[in-house]
Amino acid sequence: MTYTAANGLLKKDALALPSALTNFDQLFNDKTPALFMDYDGCLSPIVKDPEKAFMSDGMRKVVADLAEVCFTAVVSGRDRQNVKNLVQLDSLYFAGSHGFDISGPENLLTEPADAKEMLPALDQAQDILKEKLQSINGALVERKRYAIAVHYRNIEDEHVPYVKETVTEVLHKFPVLKEGLGKKVLELKPNLDWNKGKAVLWLLEKFNLNKATIMPVYIGDDITDEDAFAALQGKGIGILVGEHDEQTSATYRLESVDEVQIFLEKLLHYQQK
Ligand SMILES: O=P(O)(O)OC[C@H]1O[C@H](O[C@H]2O[C@H](CO)[C@@H](O)[C@H](O)[C@H]2O)[C@H](O)[C@@H](O)[C@@H]1O
């Protein structure tokens, strides 16, 4: 099903999207890509332990090669330094904490949404969550500079409602924070008008990439990536990897992390022609 949402965005069922692989030849029309990618579920498969979400050597190689020929960024919900450590490529731009914390080659380091005053609330919320969830086997509270992820992937189903209620309670205590949803995770983020989509638009502007010769492309698998797909509607290409629980603003689809690698290899070949 396809429909136009109240805000004018075109939304589709993930399974109704055409494949970015079979339609590759129609995507770029001789334009140079500006590439934005999510990490978990896009560059690395979803696994039980967030610290063990590794990128394959093949994926790292093609991303490194692409960074030589076009603007290449990773836009992640993870802490910026954490995702940088996992990717291990200094030639890339990184937007961590869902876009609140950005770095790049040549000493770029910036927090464009100016969320610093939310840090005390995040610190206090983290302490309360750790204390309240310490007795729940498998619950994981992951602090990023500008977000807290409460993971429930590894807990018994019967404890999930308690975890969700606890997050809701903490959010009520700290109105400067808002909820974010992801794959078996609830997040607490600064209650500001900033997200992955705004970060992508900020990078396009900052690096003078809003030109007819450039085609922005964003690849991601999760609900937080929807902000970036929405930001690129009518301006670039949004590619959803797999599916999530909501309708999508992406325009194309890839089945899996393996298909992401095949797509990136095709993109490299196209860009080297
Ligand atoms: O925006 P992303 O780069 O995709 O980050 C989104 C979240 O990814 C991580 O959690 C997810 O992946 C884990 C490893 O595969 C998985 O165990 C977890 O269930 C997923 O929610 C990361 O830990 C979070 O901080 C990111 O926000």
Side-chain angles (χ1 to χ4, degrees):
M1 192 182 85
T2 302
Y3 74 97
T4 307
N7 54 10
L9 283 173
L10 205 61
K11 293 270 191 182
K12 286 189 176 171
D13 290 334
L15 295 176
L17 295 174
S19 161
L21 282 181
T22 49
N23 292 282
F24 186 89
D25 292 344
Q26 302 155 34
L27 297 185
F28 292 97
N29 295 321
D30 289 330
K31 295 184 181 189
T32 302
L35 178 60
F36 299 88
M37 295 162 295
D38 167 48
Y39 185 77
D40 293 274
C42 175
L43 293 178
S44 128
I46 294 291
V47 292
K48 281 181 154 211
D49 180 354
E51 290 310 310
K52 298 211 169 91
F54 301 119
M55 219 170 142
S56 69
D57 291 343
M59 186 71 95
R60 184 169 293 104
K61 167 100 177 66
V62 68
V63 172
D65 290 348
L66 278 162
E68 299 287 313
V69 294
C70 66
F71 180 92
T72 305
V74 172
V75 182
S76 177
R78 285 180 179 262
D79 185 72
R80 178 179 54 74
Q81 193 56 53
N82 173 257
V83 72
K84 232 183 138 194
N85 293 345
L86 289 164
V87 174
Q88 297 171 30
L89 294 172
D90 290 336
S91 49
L92 266 55
Y93 293 84
F94 289 91
S97 293
H98 300 285
F100 281 95
D101 184 8
I102 297 180
S103 73
E106 290 165 21
N107 300 322
L108 174 71
L109 191 55
T110 182
E111 297 180 345
D114 204 10
K116 275 201 185 63
E117 64 193 56
M118 311 293 175
L119 288 172
L122 284 162
D123 292 343
Q124 289 166 46
Q126 173 191 3
D127 290 345
I128 299 171
L129 288 164
K130 283 203 161 158
E131 204 255 306
K132 291 203 170 216
L133 299 176
Q134 64 183 345
S135 59
I136 305 293
N137 205 9
L140 174 66
V141 177
E142 177 196 356
R143 174 64 191 272
K144 294 80 82 75
R145 180 162 166 81
Y146 285 120
I148 303 166
V150 178
H151 293 273
Y152 56 90
R153 180 173 297 281
N154 301 317
I155 71 173
E156 297 288 339
D157 287 352
E158 61 182 298
H159 297 311
V160 173
Y162 171 74
V163 172
K164 291 187 172 173
E165 280 156 27
T166 305
V167 170
T168 305
E169 253 174 52
V170 174
L171 282 163
H172 277 135
K173 261 194 192 101
F174 299 100
V176 294
L177 304 180
K178 66 178 173 186
E179 186 180 53
L181 300 176
K183 293 189 166 166
K184 305 275 184 194
V185 70
L186 296 167
E187 300 233 23
L188 297 92
K189 310 193 270 195
N191 193 357
L192 292 172
D193 184 21
W194 196 261
N195 53 44
K196 287 181 170 188
K198 300 255 171 166
V200 168
L201 296 178
W202 187 90
L203 284 162
L204 288 170
E205 182 67 31
K206 165 96 183 155
F207 293 98
N208 198 20
L209 295 164
N210 286 315
K211 317 194 242 218
T213 51
I214 300 285
M215 179 61 82
V217 53
Y218 186 97
I219 314 175
D221 73 310
D222 212 341
I223 290 169
T224 58
D225 300 309
E226 288 299 324
D227 292 316
F229 298 145
L232 290 188
Q233 270 195 8
K235 195 182 181 77
I237 302 163
I239 303 177
L240 177 66
V241 184
E243 55 189 306
H244 53 60
D245 295 340
E246 295 181 5
Q247 289 209 307
T248 182
S249 299
T251 36
Y252 290 91
R253 182 165 189 266
L254 290 167
E255 284 285 339
S256 60
V257 172
D258 287 346
E259 278 205 6
V260 171
Q261 187 173 335
I262 296 168
F263 177 86
L264 295 178
E265 281 159 358
K266 267 173 139 5
L267 187 59
L268 179 64
H269 182 69
Y270 158 85
Q271 192 52 24
Q272 287 173 333
K273 264 193 311 185

